[in-house]
Amino acid sequence: MSKTTSTTSSLSFAHVPHPSPVSAEKRAELLKNPGFGRVFSDHMVTIRYHETKGWYDAKVEPRAPIPMDPAAAVLHYAQEIFEGLKAYRTADGGATLFRPLENARRFQQSAERLAMPILPENVFLEAVDQLVKIDRAWIPEGDGSLYIRPFMFANEIFLGVKPSSDYLFIVIASSVGAYFKTDAPAVSVWVSQDYTRAAPGGTGAAKCGGNYASSLQAQAEATRHGCDQVVFLDAVEQRWIEELGGMNIFFVFDDGSMITPPLGGTILPGITRNSLLTLAKDKGIKVSEERYSIDQWRKDAASGRLREAFACGTAAVVTPIGTVRSNDGEFRIGNGGSGAKTEELKAALVGIQRGRTADPHGWIHRVY
Ligand code: PLP
Ligand code: COI
């Protein structure tokens, strides 16, 4: 096994290439229909942290199980954060990332909230670049992409409740197609009235595993009601729409205007959400960050004032919402399929992400 080293500002990455990577034939087979989050590339990046040493021991190495002590703090107190971003194959055979600096920054904000060490932006970006470069063959052709999952967890062997002294930062990559399995033109959502996702002062704005753990019962309820995703209402009044289990949400009205729930610490500040706000403004669409209640949503869908609604996120891209269900019954949005504004904004976003259109905001990061 050959071992080389590359350096980023203060940190050197040791390279340990996989001794027996997946064969090209097997990989081609896996990439035909990867689904979401089940097909993984050959390598991973690992970086360790200890409060006395700082960040150390950066490696690009074969993807493998990680040995863990059963008393590792993350297994007990869930001190863990993660990110999600995609690498795209370019027409000239290169690879790009969409706004990775925003993921690096959000990772820092999540770390801050969870009392974890701050990984320098350049180290986050270098770790992602290194993995995309070594596993470039895992970026699917066509509509697929390589979903990059950086994450960090508390690794101190200690059962006392306090911020860990030890952490492991890892980046893995998964070849993906569409997030939703459905062939329907739009997804259905279940409005959770029994569970909330995040309360003021909580961790709603952080991308931490705990937020997803506490969403699972509501997501299971959505599935039981035949819905693809759960929609959460605010924890205080149980009235204002916040976001979906793993996506932000936009509403489109009959006058062409759009709204999305405001960031206030209880929802994830989505990078897709932020990009769509910018793209909508570029197009002269009147768009605002405004509270919108579940009652108003129902009324506006019935009157026809609300024409479209869509979910957005790295995994979901832009996904139209056609049906809304809750304990109070069901309503349809528009014709139950996608709408013109949803498609227009999706095309604008995907065009930039895939390098098919100009990138006026400098969002594309070339890996090689
Ligand atoms: N909200 C939640 C709860 C999410 O998990 C995600 C996915 O990352 C988003 C919103 C959208 O964020 P982004 O557009 O940065 O992927
Ligand atoms: C993403 O879109 O990156 C997400 O994290 C959503 C979900 C897959 C957890």
Side-chain angles (χ1 to χ4, degrees):
M1 206 184 297
S2 70
K3 187 170 166 176
T4 54
T5 309
S6 64
T7 305
T8 173
S9 59
S10 56
L11 211 57
S12 294
F13 284 74
H15 283 236
V16 186
H18 203 299
S20 51
V22 172
S23 70
E25 295 73 38
K26 176 90 199 294
R27 192 174 55 234
E29 191 55 37
L30 289 168
L31 295 195
K32 269 188 201 154
N33 189 13
F36 186 90
R38 293 193 189 278
V39 173
F40 295 97
S41 71
D42 290 313
H43 295 87
M44 63 183 184
V45 172
T46 57
I47 308 178
R48 292 178 182 274
Y49 178 91
H50 190 271
E51 63 185 12
T52 60
K53 290 199 212 181
W55 299 99
Y56 70 101
D57 200 15
K59 277 189 208 140
V60 182
E61 59 185 315
R63 181 179 178 279
I66 35 181
M68 275 184 99
D69 191 284
V74 66
L75 299 178
H76 304 272
Y77 309 124
Q79 199 188 6
E80 188 268 355
I81 58 170
F82 67 96
E83 268 304 325
L85 67 163
K86 283 176 172 171
Y88 305 92
R89 193 180 279 282
T90 59
D92 62 2
T96 57
L97 295 162
F98 183 69
R99 308 188 72 182
L101 184 57
E102 297 307 314
N103 295 94
R105 290 182 175 148
R106 190 170 63 189
F107 197 67
Q108 292 185 335
Q109 284 152 17
S110 299
E112 223 270 314
R113 179 64 186 84
L114 275 280
M116 298 170 96
I118 304 298
L119 183 73
E121 286 162 2
N122 70 312
V123 177
F124 179 101
L125 294 176
E126 184 62 26
V128 172
D129 273 8
Q130 296 248 1
L131 187 61
V132 173
K133 269 183 214 152
I134 195 163
D135 281 341
R136 62 179 77 182
W138 288 91
I139 309 177
E141 308 272 357
D143 285 344
S145 55
L146 188 64
Y147 182 78
I148 315 292
R149 171 54 62 88
F151 62 106
M152 169 164 63
F153 59 86
N155 210 18
E156 183 177 353
I157 300 163
F158 180 53
L159 294 182
V161 180
K162 67 158 188 81
S164 173
S165 57
D166 235 315
Y167 296 88
L168 189 52
F169 170 76
I170 303 183
V171 191
I172 55 172
S174 172
S175 310
V176 301
Y179 184 74
F180 290 106
K181 285 195 204 93
T182 174
D183 287 330
V187 296
S188 52
V189 294
W190 170 257
V191 182
S192 176
Q193 289 157 314
D194 294 330
Y195 305 103
T196 56
R197 178 182 173 275
T203 56
K207 206 161 165 63
C208 60
N211 287 344
Y212 297 80
S214 64
S215 78
L216 296 178
Q217 195 56 262
Q219 178 59 42
E221 190 178 69
T223 306
R224 278 199 299 280
H225 286 90
C227 294
D228 299 294
Q229 267 279 309
V230 57
V231 176
F232 286 105
L233 303 177
D234 76 289
V236 178
E237 296 182 61
Q238 303 238 346
R239 180 175 169 212
W240 306 106
I241 295 153
E242 297 237 294
E243 64 177 327
L244 277 56
M247 290 135 225
N248 293 117
I249 186 165
F250 276 82
F251 304 93
V252 183
F253 297 97
D254 55 355
D255 63 357
S257 68
M258 293 176 29
I259 62 172
T260 190
L263 304 178
T266 56
I267 69 173
L268 194 79
I271 295 160
T272 317
R273 171 190 181 278
N274 176 277
S275 307
L276 291 168
L277 282 170
T278 301
L279 292 176
K281 285 175 196 156
D282 287 353
K283 288 176 177 294
I285 296 170
K286 190 170 155 278
V287 59
S288 55
E289 297 170 74
E290 238 177 76
R291 296 208 294 184
Y292 192 55
S293 72
I294 176 63
D295 292 340
Q296 200 61 45
W297 194 8
R298 193 179 292 110
K299 274 187 208 138
D300 289 344
S303 72
R305 178 176 171 251
L306 181 83
R307 288 288 163 83
E308 306 170 34
F310 61 84
C312 67
T314 300
V317 193
V318 170
T319 301
I321 298 171
T323 309
V324 184
R325 239 168 249 153
S326 72
N327 286 327
D328 299 328
E330 172 177 316
F331 59 92
R332 213 166 71 143
I333 299 168
N335 60 8
S338 191
K341 274 274 177 317
T342 303
E343 292 303 318
E344 182 188 351
L345 285 160
K346 179 177 177 180
L349 178 72
V350 172
I352 296 174
Q353 288 174 332
R354 297 199 170 265
R356 291 184 205 126
T357 53
D359 173 25
H361 301 287
W363 286 341
I364 296 303
H365 167 91
R366 183 106 197 174
V367 179
Y368 65 89

